[in-house]
Amino acid sequence: MSGRVYRLHSTLELPLEEVEEYLNGDPELPPEVTDVEVTRRNNTLILKAVAAEDNLSKYTPTAQLKASITENRVYEEEPPRAGAPRWEEEEEEIPSELVEFACFKGDRETVLQNTALQYPMFLVLREIALLAEKGTLTAITEVDGELTAHRIVEGEERPASIEVVENPSKNDNGSGGVNWRDNKFISD
């Protein structure tokens, strides 16, 4: 299966531990990808496709997903709001822990890099998006000449469609003729 990713925007955030569990749990990868190499450099996580076939040169960079890693404090219960009346003299500390999050944020070139095996790695990103409780993934892809709109919000697939218009609009917003309105991708 060959495909292309034309538009992609991601604001996904999920615990790094969940990404690692998904990748270590023997996920069902696209047939073109035999494995995903995981590399961490400081505060950057890189998930690189390992090609199933030997037809790619060893010098051809395969597609990779890139996420920044941040530490967030996660509370076991809701922290008190600022300005709330304090009835007790001693404040009890709310149990919390620091959790590392993988943040797949940005457009295609930021999140999904390199063109060899780009569409199969997009499919891996879609699976990760279905695990995320925070953020969205929107994309336009093409497989065998057919365009598909994807929209995943907080781990749930949502309706998305593409409308192709013959006449270019006069108010091109610099997005190359593709707009997002009312839960639809509109391609001018």
Side-chain angles (χ1 to χ4, degrees), residues 7-187:
R7 296 280 175 205
L8 183 141
H9 183 75
S10 175
T11 61
L12 300 173
E13 287 183 36
L14 66 160
L16 178 59
E17 188 176 298
E18 288 183 19
V19 175
E20 291 170 341
E21 284 176 11
Y22 165 73
L23 294 171
N24 293 333
D26 197 27
E28 189 173 320
L29 297 172
E32 300 89 349
V33 177
T34 58
D35 196 12
V36 175
E37 288 180 0
V38 179
T39 307
R40 181 173 177 174
R41 293 186 194 129
N42 297 324
N43 290 330
T44 302
L45 180 70
I46 299 171
L47 309 177
K48 184 177 178 183
V50 176
E53 297 180 15
D54 294 334
N55 63 354
L56 289 177
S57 163
K58 66 179 182 177
Y59 302 108
T60 302
T62 57
Q64 61 187 25
L65 300 172
K66 193 172 179 182
S68 61
I69 297 177
T70 61
E71 265 188 357
N72 293 336
R73 184 158 300 280
V74 176
Y75 294 93
E76 289 183 17
E77 58 186 68
E78 194 82 21
R81 296 182 184 182
R86 297 184 182 172
W87 302 107
E88 300 175 22
E89 288 183 21
E90 291 182 33
E91 280 189 33
E92 286 186 37
E93 190 172 315
I94 298 172
S96 66
E97 65 177 314
L98 282 176
V99 177
E100 288 185 311
F101 280 81
C103 303
F104 297 89
K105 292 187 174 188
D107 295 323
R108 185 183 72 193
E109 295 78 20
T110 307
V111 176
L112 179 59
Q113 302 172 335
N114 303 332
T115 54
L117 302 176
Q118 187 180 68
Y119 182 73
M121 280 307 280
F122 167 74
L123 296 177
V124 171
L125 180 61
R126 271 188 95 255
E127 292 302 313
I128 291 171
L130 291 170
L131 299 173
E133 292 180 13
K134 184 175 181 184
T136 63
L137 173 68
T138 56
I140 296 176
T141 60
E142 174 267 325
V143 176
D144 299 328
E146 190 166 324
L147 293 175
T148 305
H150 305 268
R151 184 169 177 243
I152 299 173
V153 178
E154 297 175 351
E156 182 182 307
E157 282 193 79
R158 300 277 174 88
S161 62
I162 302 169
E163 181 180 322
V164 179
V165 180
E166 286 186 20
N167 297 329
S169 102
K170 292 180 183 177
N171 61 355
D172 186 7
N173 62 6
S175 64
V178 178
N179 299 309
W180 180 260
R181 273 187 240 132
D182 300 324
N183 300 333
K184 294 182 182 181
F185 284 113
I186 312 244
S187 179

